[in-house]
């Protein structure tokens, strides 16, 4: 995710836009169609894409004749074929060109996932913001320019979890819809000689952030190896965009989970994970004990998320507290116990899709 672009930034020429189109068989999108566009940014994180595709798939069921597009500022990675198929068109363009890139292309809502994009306020179509939990002092960053309010703000969590006070000049309607997540089935765990500890360190981020995360996790694993009575294998789930500084010295193996990180969570005996929105929800659906390690994000309150969900899923790692986290990890290894899966309630994807559909002409 990135901070919103400055309005004073000069528009680039249309020739500069790099558009890569994917068209689904039997579906088309022309400028006159009442089409819906999702806009995902931040080079483009899998979390953004997962929320967009989850809602888009629900829209596909509600309104199968309404084509849905995806405009993004990075090549798509990590989405499964069924997720990609929810979009009639996928186009890659520069972040500052997305508003202009979808102008005049259909009349349905433009849906931004936790982002404000240059030029959205000028579009003659309903504007929707999906805003997941954000630090209170950062919410104003999502205000549209020129005094235009969002037609709808969708908050992807239960109402009693997080719901800022939005004024009418910020949004006409605000609707919490519950957690937006993919339904996931716990896969069968293969027989293994030693327990499997999966470490999910995320697919992006800066080299500095990746190095800081490694400096927190490696000592915990090393200390747990000295404390635990049972052997265990450490597997790091790491994407191709991850900085080399994030590769763990204590990892015995590594894998690129692609779009199947949720399944890898279910196959593990214990998980150490960053506290991203999607990761936490996918872990909640499993019975795997998890240690949550928050990483600093500009507009993503991972620290608050880790404090809330850590006790529910296992434990929260506090920066520098190697001893406590190692003791928890060693105890889980020796006990080899599962935990109850967390009841998230119905996914909010369907409710979000209905709200977006109702704004379409």
């Amino acid at each position: 995710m990135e901070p919103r672009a400055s309005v004073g930034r000069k528009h680039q020429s249309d020739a500069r836009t790099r558009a890569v189109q994917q068209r689904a068989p039997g579906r088309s999108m022309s400028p006159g169609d009442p089409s819906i566009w999702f806009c995902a940014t931040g080079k483009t994180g899998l979390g953004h894409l997962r929320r967009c595709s989850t809602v888009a798939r629900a829209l596909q069921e509600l309104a199968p004749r309404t084509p849905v597009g995806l405009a993004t500022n990075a090549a798509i990675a990590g989405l499964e074929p069924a997720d990609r198929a929810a979009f009639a068109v996928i186009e890659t363009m520069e972040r500052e060109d997305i508003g202009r890139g979808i102008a005049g292309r259909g009349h349905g809502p433009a849906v931004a996932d936790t982002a404000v994009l240059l030029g959205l306020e000028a579009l003659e179509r309903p504007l929707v913001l999906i805003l997941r939990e954000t630090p209170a002092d950062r919410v104003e960053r999502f205000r549209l320019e020129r005094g235009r309010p969002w037609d709808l703000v969708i908050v992807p969590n239960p109402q009693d979890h997080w719901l800022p006070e939005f004024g009418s000049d910020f949004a006409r309607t605000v609707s919490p819809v519950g957690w937006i997540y993919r339904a996931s089935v716990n896969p069968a765990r293969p027989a293994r000689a030693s327990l499997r500890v999966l470490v999910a360190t995320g697919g992006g981020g800066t080299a500095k952030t990746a190095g800081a995360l490694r400096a927190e996790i490696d000592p915990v694993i090393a200390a747990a190896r000295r404390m635990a009575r049972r052997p265990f294998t450490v597997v790091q789930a790491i994407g191709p965009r991850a900085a080399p500084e994030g590769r763990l010295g204590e990892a015995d193996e590594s894998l690129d989970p692609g779009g199947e990180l949720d399944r890898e969570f279910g196959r593990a005996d214990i998980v150490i994970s960053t506290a991203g929105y999607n990761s936490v929800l996918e872990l909640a659906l499993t019975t795997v004990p998890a240690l949550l390690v928050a990483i600093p994000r500009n507009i993503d309150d991972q620290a608050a998320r880790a404090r809330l969900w850590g006790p529910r899923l296992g434990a929260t790692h506090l920066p520098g507290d190697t001893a406590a986290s190692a003791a928890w990890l060693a105890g889980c290894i020796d006990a080899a116990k599962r935990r109850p899966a967390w009841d998230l309630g119905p996914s909010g994807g369907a409710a979000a899709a209905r709200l977006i559909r109702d704004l379409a002409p």
Side-chain angles (χ1 to χ4, degrees):
M1 286 160 287
E2 299 173 1
R4 76 195 230 187
S6 169
V7 171
R9 187 168 180 171
K10 184 180 179 180
H11 276 150
Q12 305 294 329
S13 68
D14 286 335
R16 182 171 167 274
T17 299
R18 300 191 301 274
V20 179
Q21 296 192 358
Q22 168 188 296
R23 295 193 181 276
R27 302 174 71 189
S28 64
M29 181 177 288
S30 66
D33 284 336
S35 53
I36 297 168
W37 281 88
F38 284 81
C39 306
T41 67
K43 289 297 184 185
T44 284
L46 184 56
H48 291 283
L49 293 174
R50 185 76 73 215
R51 272 190 300 277
C52 289
S53 64
T54 299
V55 178
R57 289 176 70 168
L59 272 167
Q60 202 175 32
E61 295 184 7
L62 284 171
R65 294 186 176 276
T66 301
V68 177
L70 172 65
T72 169
N73 67 336
I76 300 302
L79 286 185
E80 296 179 344
D83 294 322
R84 290 171 177 262
F87 302 105
V89 174
I90 295 176
E91 295 194 5
T92 304
M93 60 189 76
E94 298 292 342
R95 185 182 199 276
E96 58 268 30
D97 292 334
I98 290 178
R100 290 188 303 126
I102 65 174
R105 303 180 65 186
H107 307 291
V111 184
D113 185 84
T114 314
V116 173
L117 301 169
L118 192 69
L120 279 190
E121 75 286 344
L123 297 179
E124 295 181 358
R125 61 198 310 157
L127 299 182
V128 179
L129 173 66
I130 299 176
L131 184 62
R132 54 107 182 89
E133 50 201 333
T134 299
D137 61 343
R138 307 295 174 89
V139 171
E140 279 295 309
R141 304 180 80 170
F142 298 97
R143 183 182 292 276
L144 287 168
E145 298 292 341
R146 302 180 187 177
R148 178 175 176 178
W150 293 95
D151 294 281
L152 170 66
V153 172
I154 293 173
V155 180
N157 56 248
Q159 181 170 344
D160 60 0
H161 173 72
W162 180 77
L163 187 62
E165 293 184 6
F166 297 109
S168 58
D169 59 339
F170 186 99
R172 300 182 191 279
T173 305
V174 179
S175 295
V177 296
W179 305 111
I180 294 178
Y181 62 90
R182 292 186 301 172
S184 183
V185 178
N186 281 321
R189 288 178 296 152
R192 291 186 284 254
S194 64
L195 294 179
R196 180 186 180 96
V197 177
L198 182 74
V199 185
T201 50
T206 65
K208 181 178 179 181
T209 298
L213 186 61
R214 181 186 65 187
E216 292 290 336
I217 295 175
D218 263 341
V220 170
I221 297 172
R225 290 191 194 276
R226 296 191 294 269
M227 299 168 64
R229 297 188 299 273
R230 301 180 58 169
F232 62 94
T233 300
V234 176
V235 179
Q236 183 178 13
I238 186 167
R241 289 171 44 210
E245 290 82 355
R247 295 194 173 273
L248 298 175
E250 289 291 329
D252 301 301
E253 305 169 18
S254 65
L255 62 85
D256 176 4
E260 297 189 354
L261 183 57
D262 60 326
R263 296 183 181 90
E264 293 298 333
F265 284 155
R267 295 185 185 109
D269 295 292
I270 301 164
V271 168
I272 301 172
S273 176
T274 55
Y277 175 96
N278 287 280
S279 293
V280 166
L281 297 184
E282 290 173 355
L283 280 167
L285 294 170
T286 74
T287 59
V288 181
L291 175 68
L292 299 184
V293 185
I295 56 176
R297 290 294 195 197
N298 192 30
I299 50 176
D300 183 14
D301 200 347
Q302 285 209 13
R305 195 176 297 124
R307 286 193 300 271
L308 173 68
W309 286 98
R312 295 176 174 180
L313 307 184
T316 303
H317 172 75
L318 300 178
D321 196 351
T322 299
S325 294
W328 177 88
L329 179 56
C332 286
I333 290 164
D334 289 338
K337 291 182 179 180
R338 311 293 275 187
R339 60 165 178 81
W342 193 266
D343 182 4
L344 298 176
S347 173
R354 286 192 295 271
L355 292 167
I356 294 168
R357 179 203 58 185
D358 289 347
L359 288 177

